[in-house]
């Protein structure tokens, strides 16, 4: 059956579904059983708000304050939360992966762990995700990340702000960080969890797409489609232009993005960085795979140790 497709029909019949699974897959325009306007139902001491990166696009954001301020946060409005960004506790702008939205259970658990670790967390849904408007594109997702980062920096005083990307979000994070670097405004720190070298490699390793490895023609067609649609998420190229402190964390038993690919990304970054001490990789022992590093007791200590040394 595969051999019956022409090159053109391969692209028309196979690549669009692949693209949906890789980037647009399960963007979740509908929150389904979650009211994203009421985060307190899913997570404590959190407020929902919206910002506009450009005309016609509105992004939904949850801001969770550190658990140490939970009692103070009770009954407070958005203005109080904005002012809290200057309290000296480090801030994370969390950029999620391909599926779901900011109310997805795993994401809620992750931001709770970070909040318990003393961090502010701003969890954003890119355009087209959750109740955010617009259509996802690589350029658009980067613009969304930059918008939330700059909005946060404008309100954080001297408190540092970090971009944290998970899975697809690592590509969004480095895209955004590279743009800001080129503008002369490097981000305070970058954390990459479950990072790939580029979307082409990630595509072939994506669990539902591994069958493509057996068909070189299918692989070539997929890559051509990604190039034509300008979907690259080239972490391996972006890190060559960064100067911000960069932490890469990865599960040894990650089956979605093999740890070897993350090691390759680290080696590229280490070679490119002038100040080698700003680049670090931590590999977590088996048991946490691609989505559950936050369950490790190492998760917060690794992050806090890295940031304390970088900001000493």
């Amino acid at each position: 059956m595969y051999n019956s497709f022409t090159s053109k029909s391969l692209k028309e019949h196979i690549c669009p579904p692949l693209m949906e699974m890789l980037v647009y897959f399960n963007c979740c325009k509908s929150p389904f059983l979650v009211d994203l306007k009421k985060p307190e139902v899913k997570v404590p001491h959190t407020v929902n708000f919206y910002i506009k990166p450009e005309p016609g696009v509105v992004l939904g954001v949850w801001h969770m304050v550190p658990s140490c301020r939970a009692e103070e946060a009770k009954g407070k409005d958005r203005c109080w939360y904005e002012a809290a960004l200057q309290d000296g506790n480090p801030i994370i702008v969390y950029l999620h992966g391909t599926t779901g939205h900011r109310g997805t259970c795993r994401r809620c658990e992750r931001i709770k762990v970070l909040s318990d670790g003393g961090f502010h967390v701003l969890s954003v849904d890119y355009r087209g995700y959750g109740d955010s408007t617009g259509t996802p594109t690589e350029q658009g997702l980067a613009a969304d990340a930059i918008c939330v980062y700059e909005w946060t920096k404008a309100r954080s005083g001297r408190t540092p702000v970090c971009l944290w990307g998970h899975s697809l979000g690592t590509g969004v994070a480095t895209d955004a960080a590279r743009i800001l670097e080129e503008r002369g405004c490097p981000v305070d720190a970058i954390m990459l969890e479950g990072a790939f070298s580029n979307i082409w490699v990630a595509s072939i390793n994506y669990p539902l797409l591994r069958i493509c490895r057996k068909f070189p023609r299918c692989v070539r067609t997929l890559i051509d489609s990604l190039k034509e649609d300008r979907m690259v998420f080239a972490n391996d190229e972006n890190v060559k232009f960064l100067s911000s402190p960069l932490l890469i964390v990865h599960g040894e038993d990650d089956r979605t993005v093999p740890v070897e690919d993350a090691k390759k990304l680290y080696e590229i970054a280490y070679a490119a960085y002038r100040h080698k001490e700003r680049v670090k990789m931590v590999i977590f022992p088996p048991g946490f795979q691609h989505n559950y590093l936050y369950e490790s007791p190492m998760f917060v200590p690794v992050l806090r140790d890295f940031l304390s040394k970088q900001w000493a």
Side-chain angles (χ1 to χ4, degrees):
M1 182 175 179
Y2 171 82
N3 291 332
S4 68
F5 282 118
T6 64
S7 178
K8 182 178 180 181
S9 64
L10 269 172
K11 196 164 210 178
E12 291 174 346
H13 292 90
I14 295 178
C15 287
L18 293 184
M19 291 297 294
E20 289 179 6
M21 285 187 284
L22 290 171
V23 183
Y24 305 111
F25 176 64
N26 196 20
C27 282
C28 289
K29 288 293 293 180
S30 301
F32 298 103
L33 303 174
V34 179
D35 186 349
L36 295 175
K37 293 181 175 64
K38 298 179 179 179
E40 65 276 7
V41 175
K42 295 278 289 184
V43 287
H45 45 86
T46 302
V47 68
N48 176 70
F49 65 96
Y50 298 91
I51 58 176
K52 296 181 179 181
E54 60 190 57
V57 178
V58 178
L59 307 179
V61 185
W62 283 0
H63 174 194
M64 174 181 273
V65 296
S67 293
C68 60
R69 304 203 64 184
E71 286 300 315
E72 296 176 72
K74 289 181 178 178
K76 298 299 195 301
D77 61 12
R78 176 182 168 183
C79 291
W80 181 90
Y81 277 79
E82 282 191 23
L85 290 169
Q86 298 190 36
D87 65 8
N89 290 301
I91 303 164
I92 289 173
V93 172
Y94 173 62
L95 306 170
H96 63 63
T98 55
T99 62
H101 48 66
R102 63 192 184 280
T104 301
C105 289
R106 285 198 307 267
R107 297 202 180 111
C108 291
E109 292 304 314
R110 182 180 279 100
I111 65 174
K112 285 178 185 176
V113 169
L114 290 169
S115 172
D116 289 345
F119 293 92
H120 288 272
V121 185
L122 284 89
S123 182
V124 56
D125 273 325
Y126 318 115
R127 60 189 67 197
Y129 282 71
D131 57 354
S132 297
T133 63
T135 301
T137 64
E138 180 171 3
Q139 183 180 15
L141 269 57
D144 296 343
I146 290 170
C147 174
V148 179
Y149 179 82
E150 291 183 333
W151 182 94
T152 306
K153 283 291 291 180
R155 292 158 176 78
S156 64
R158 299 178 63 183
T159 306
V161 181
C162 315
L163 285 180
W164 180 296
H166 174 237
S167 196
L168 177 72
T170 64
V172 180
T174 65
D175 275 352
R178 179 174 177 175
I179 293 170
L180 289 167
E181 188 90 30
E182 291 170 349
R183 293 178 183 174
C185 305
V187 301
D188 298 328
I190 308 163
M191 274 67 76
L192 305 179
E193 178 188 355
F196 48 81
S197 55
N198 60 66
I199 197 66
W200 303 340
V201 174
S203 302
I204 301 306
N205 285 309
Y206 198 81
L208 295 177
L209 304 180
R210 286 176 184 161
I211 191 173
C212 287
R213 295 176 183 172
K214 299 179 181 179
F215 303 100
R217 189 180 175 194
C218 184
V219 172
R220 288 194 302 270
T221 304
L222 171 60
I223 291 176
D224 287 345
S225 179
L226 290 168
K227 287 180 178 178
E228 183 175 309
D229 291 337
R230 299 180 181 179
M231 305 297 291
V232 183
F233 293 104
N235 285 328
D236 50 359
E237 287 299 315
N238 289 337
V239 296
K240 296 177 183 178
F241 299 90
L242 304 180
S243 64
S244 304
L246 174 65
L247 174 63
I248 300 172
V249 294
H250 212 90
E252 185 179 339
D253 59 349
D254 190 324
R255 294 194 292 266
T256 301
V257 179
V259 69
E260 289 76 16
D261 195 38
K263 288 179 180 178
K264 176 183 175 183
L265 177 63
Y266 165 74
E267 291 166 0
I268 292 170
Y270 187 82
Y273 265 63
R274 180 179 179 184
H275 300 287
K276 308 298 184 185
E277 71 279 3
R278 292 190 176 185
V279 187
K280 183 177 182 180
M281 181 176 188
V282 177
I283 299 174
F284 285 62
F288 305 104
Q289 300 178 21
H290 185 67
N291 291 314
Y292 299 97
L293 293 188
Y294 65 85
E295 294 184 351
S296 168
M298 295 170 51
F299 189 70
V300 169
V302 161
L303 176 56
R304 293 202 69 93
D305 178 68
F306 177 75
L307 293 180
S308 64
K309 290 178 180 177
Q310 297 299 322
W311 296 334

